[in-house]
């Protein structure tokens, strides 16, 4: 039986084992998938075990998406550009790092906004999550607007992605159709909305990558905005991972049921 898992710290809350175990069962793949909680001090030791082939593949989540890069023998172009790995698998004896977050993001966006390529899109954030959004949008020919608390971080991204920087105090002078929260604002219960109410009033669709009822999501729902779903993103990035892990098309409906 092949072993897989999701590496993170903490990771007990992750829905990935439900999703992947259901999918393996559905397609008759002989594998198991577990939560793998590794403290930062133990990461090096754990990754050495991974390199011996103890696991056939891993999903990687917070806080290790950047830290695992140094252990990879090969990195996909998307992982290089995004600068984060959420999927590890083997190509022969080579440990390969890739990224499927960008795919989950764009597919989940497309489900509510099939015409997203013609829309004015504002992405908020400048970390790994924002870089995955930028990669996906650029790949589909979209040059989004980008803002962040620290504007200097955007300067570091100009060589990697196409985007238009906007200072936060100028946001309301512009007109957007879609706003994406790619920051960590909203993870804590007492976090404020990451953008103003009047900005949300202006758009037709909100995509909060945090899959909780954040203040942004609650407000957007109250105002009758279309909501792209972070849970669909989780499913769709997981489906793509499943392909890397097993070589089999993901049974998305079964995977979706398993996390609902
Ligand atoms: P991830 O890899 O999940 O994107 P990250 O790299 O830590 O996480 O990035 C976190 C993002 O959330 C950054 O854009 C950060 O803004 P800064 O670059 O200015 O730090 C943003 N963020 C975190 N806390 C914030 C807050 N209180 N207000 C506004 N933005 C915040």
């Amino acid at each position: 039986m092949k072993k897989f898992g999701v590496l993170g710290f903490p990771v007990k809350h992750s829905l990935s084992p439900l999703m992947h175990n259901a999918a393996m069962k559905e397609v008759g793949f002989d594998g198991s998938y577990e939560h793998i909680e590794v403290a930062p001090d133990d990461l090096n030791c754990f990754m050495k075990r991974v390199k011996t082939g103890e696991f056939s593949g891993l999903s990687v989540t917070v806080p290790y998406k950047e830290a695992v890069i140094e252990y990879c023998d090969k990195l996909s172009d998307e992982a290089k550009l995004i600068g984060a790995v959420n999927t590890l698998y083997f190509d022969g004896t080579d440990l390969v790092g890739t990224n499927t977050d960008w795919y989950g993001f764009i597919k989940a966006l497309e489900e509510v906004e099939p015409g997203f390529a013609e829309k004015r899109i504002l992405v908020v954030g400048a970390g790994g999550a924002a870089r995955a959004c930028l990669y996906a949008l650029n790949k589909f020919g979209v040059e989004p607007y980008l803002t962040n608390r620290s504007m200097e971080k955007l300067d570091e991204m100009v060589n990697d992605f196409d985007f238009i920087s906007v200072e936060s105090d100028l946001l309301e002078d512009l007109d957007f159709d879609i706003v994406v929260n790619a920051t960590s604002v909203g993870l804590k219960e007492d976090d404020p909305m990451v953008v103003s109410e009047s900005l949300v009033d202006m758009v037709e669709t909100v995509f909060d990558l945090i899959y909780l009822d954040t203040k942004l999501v609650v407000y957007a729902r109250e105002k009758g905005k279309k909501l792209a779903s972070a849970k669909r993103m989780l499913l769709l990035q997981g489906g793509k991972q499943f392909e890397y892990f097993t070589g089999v098309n993901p049974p998305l409906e079964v995977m979706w049921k398993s996390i609902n």
Side-chain angles (χ1 to χ4, degrees):
M1 179 183 281
K2 292 189 167 169
K3 277 170 66 181
F4 301 87
V6 53
L7 166 68
F9 185 73
V11 79
K12 295 264 173 354
H13 62 279
S14 170
L15 297 175
S16 292
L18 282 174
M19 211 163 55
H20 284 278
N21 282 316
M24 288 187 206
K25 188 164 172 224
E26 175 68 14
V27 305
F29 184 88
D30 187 21
S32 68
Y33 185 112
E34 60 187 292
H35 290 107
I36 305 171
E37 189 158 292
V38 174
D41 282 349
D42 300 330
L43 184 69
N44 188 43
C45 187
F46 176 76
M47 287 308 294
K48 284 188 181 146
R49 275 168 54 198
V50 171
K51 293 198 67 131
T52 67
E54 180 174 337
F55 295 90
S56 300
L58 292 175
S59 309
V60 183
T61 187
V62 181
Y64 297 132
K65 288 185 184 184
E66 281 116 41
V68 298
I69 289 178
E70 66 174 284
Y71 299 96
C72 294
D73 302 304
K74 288 188 205 157
L75 280 182
S76 67
D77 289 346
E78 52 268 45
K80 271 186 215 152
L81 205 47
I82 295 168
V85 159
N86 81 326
T87 309
L88 293 168
Y89 65 99
F90 282 93
D91 175 12
T93 55
D94 286 343
L95 183 65
V96 186
T98 190
N99 188 301
T100 66
D101 287 330
W102 69 273
Y103 177 86
F105 164 74
I106 209 76
K107 290 289 158 187
L109 178 62
E110 195 177 30
E111 288 184 346
V112 288
E113 280 282 4
F116 70 85
E118 309 306 322
K119 304 283 180 170
R120 284 156 305 184
I121 304 178
L122 172 68
V123 176
V124 188
R131 292 178 70 93
C133 296
L134 288 175
Y135 176 85
L137 290 165
N138 285 176
K139 193 174 172 76
F140 283 78
V142 182
E143 183 179 26
Y145 294 83
L146 185 63
T147 193
N148 191 48
R149 177 177 59 180
S150 1
M151 289 301 285
E152 60 275 19
K153 281 227 188 122
L154 305 193
D155 299 336
E156 295 164 15
M157 294 164 73
V158 291
N159 293 329
D160 295 336
F161 304 106
D162 292 326
F163 59 87
I164 303 160
S165 314
V166 193
E167 301 268 358
S168 29
D169 52 351
L170 298 177
L171 286 174
E172 282 164 44
D173 299 339
L174 296 169
D175 213 3
F176 305 108
D177 302 307
I178 299 170
V179 62
V180 179
N181 176 28
T183 73
S184 49
V185 181
L187 270 176
K188 288 186 247 115
E189 221 173 298
D190 53 355
D191 278 348
M193 283 222 310
V194 69
V195 290
S196 68
E197 291 186 353
S198 45
L199 193 137
V200 179
D201 292 344
M202 175 203 297
V203 304
E204 62 185 41
T205 296
V206 169
F207 194 167
D208 195 329
L209 303 195
I210 297 173
Y211 84 76
L212 297 170
D213 268 349
T214 61
K215 292 201 176 73
L216 175 62
V217 168
V218 169
Y219 182 77
R221 192 181 289 130
E222 261 170 36
K223 292 284 166 169
K225 303 294 171 181
K226 287 193 272 185
L227 283 167
S229 155
K231 205 167 183 184
R232 293 292 294 173
M233 175 170 165
L234 173 78
L235 168 79
L236 295 158
Q237 66 74 31
K240 196 79 184 154
Q241 274 183 340
F242 187 78
E243 277 179 54
Y244 283 115
F245 290 161
T246 65
V248 177
N249 282 336
L252 289 175
E253 274 182 34
V254 168
M255 292 171 81
W256 182 239
K257 262 199 209 138
S258 74
I259 57 173
N260 280 291

